[in-house]
Amino acid sequence: MAKRKPLIAGNWKMYKTGPQAAELASGLKSLVSDMMGVDIMVAPPFTGLGIVAEILKGSIIHLGGQDLFWEVEGAYTGEISAPMLKASGCTYVIIGHSERRQYFGETNATVNRKIRAALLEGLIPVVCIGESEAERESNQTFSVVQKQLEEGLAGLTSDEVKKLTIAYEPVWAIGTGKTATTDQAQEVHEFIRARMDTAYGSSVANVARILYGGSVKPENTSDLMAMADIDGALVGGASLDVNSFSAIVSLSIDAATDKA
Ligand code: PGA
């Protein structure tokens, strides 16, 4: 099995004003300063990026955007482009989060355009996919995930896909306290990797980082991270608390060491 360095990413969603984001970032910076062996990323709201970038300078924590628009600049009121994220200190950007799909009309086609824009700027896209509760109950999990992958990544080359991080987030597990069981998560992660193998070859599939997201907390981190095809976590609620997030980071390092 290829060794993949896990990524623990905190999605702060629409929480934290600038000063609050600064406080959270400072706390985190000191707590995780000696935690090596995983990559760490936080994605504050856009209004917090500047101040958080300033605080995280010289730390091991990477900065990410929660979304972007695919044009570089123009008359697109309210939107933020890849070069703007890059200039704000971001190296990652979350794309196609289920909340964006659910409330803001994102589709696999817009996800595709956003991935391309991010890659052009050298940002690492964290591409979110996952089924709803109704889709899982009607046994559509695999077909939904397959379609999201096929359409979201349509036309990308193997070299481009190699640069992506995928986040499998079952919609029914996001913010609900209901986590997928380790077997449920592993089975979908394995499926995603197999699809990538078929579409882009093993040199891509073996290195592709596939995160799990949906009610990740310190209590379930070790079990999830022990699974063969789970390479990290996209954490929402628990990333807003320094102690919970740093515990998730630390437990993931242990799990990665055990897996190696
Ligand atoms: P949650 O959110 O950890 O609060 O369930 C995960 C996400 O939306 O990325």
Side-chain angles (χ1 to χ4, degrees):
M1 194 179 71
K3 195 162 158 24
R4 295 175 293 269
K5 191 176 186 193
L7 169 67
I8 304 300
N11 173 10
W12 294 1
K13 307 194 179 184
M14 198 175 76
Y15 293 98
K16 306 293 175 189
T17 61
Q20 291 166 342
E23 194 186 330
L24 179 54
S26 309
L28 215 52
K29 183 180 173 176
S30 53
L31 270 183
V32 304
S33 63
D34 58 350
M35 295 192 186
M36 302 296 166
V38 294
D39 286 331
I40 306 169
M41 180 270 269
V42 295
F46 293 139
T47 49
L49 284 176
I51 179 98
V52 172
E54 212 38 60
I55 289 164
L56 295 185
K57 253 187 205 145
S59 93
I60 57 168
I61 306 172
H62 299 276
L63 191 62
Q66 294 181 15
D67 182 33
L68 84 172
F69 188 54
W70 54 77
E71 295 293 344
V72 165
E73 61 178 11
Y76 302 104
T77 302
E79 294 297 322
I80 300 282
S81 70
M84 290 171 184
L85 290 180
K86 185 83 177 284
S88 302
C90 292
T91 45
Y92 287 83
V93 58
I94 299 169
I95 295 177
H97 189 279
S98 66
E99 285 148 18
R100 303 250 13 125
R101 294 177 190 256
Q102 197 177 339
Y103 305 126
F104 304 100
E106 294 250 330
T107 62
N108 294 332
T110 60
V111 165
N112 186 266
R113 295 189 77 170
K114 291 182 175 193
I115 293 172
R116 290 165 185 276
L119 288 173
L120 270 180
E121 204 52 41
L123 295 168
I124 302 172
V126 179
V127 183
C128 303
I129 57 176
E131 81 289 357
S132 66
E133 186 148 39
E135 287 162 345
R136 175 161 283 267
E137 277 167 8
S138 55
N139 291 322
Q140 288 176 280
T141 299
F142 294 113
S143 59
V144 167
V145 164
Q146 181 168 338
K147 191 167 165 23
Q148 288 171 332
L149 274 177
E150 277 171 9
E151 295 182 0
L153 310 191
L156 298 179
T157 64
S158 300
D159 278 346
E160 287 171 327
V161 174
K162 221 178 210 172
K163 295 177 184 148
L164 308 180
T165 291
I166 305 287
Y168 168 60
E169 300 204 297
V171 178
W172 49 271
I174 295 178
T176 57
K178 287 193 226 169
T179 324
T181 64
T182 49
D183 289 342
Q184 280 173 327
Q186 166 58 25
E187 139 180 283
V188 182
H189 281 235
E190 198 177 335
F191 174 79
I192 294 168
R193 201 175 303 284
R195 296 306 310 166
M196 295 181 84
D197 195 326
T198 307
Y200 308 102
S202 57
S203 65
V204 175
N206 287 341
V207 300
R209 197 145 66 168
I210 308 174
L211 313 183
Y212 169 79
S215 299
V216 173
K217 41 187 182 267
E219 293 75 19
N220 55 31
T221 298
S222 301
D223 289 343
L224 284 163
M225 296 309 135
M227 304 313 283
D229 289 294
I230 299 184
D231 310 314
L234 182 52
V235 186
S239 73
L240 297 171
D241 179 272
V242 267
N243 294 314
S244 296
F245 191 68
S246 55
I248 290 169
V249 171
S250 157
L251 291 163
S252 302
I253 295 170
D254 296 344
T257 315
D258 291 345
K259 241 189 322 191

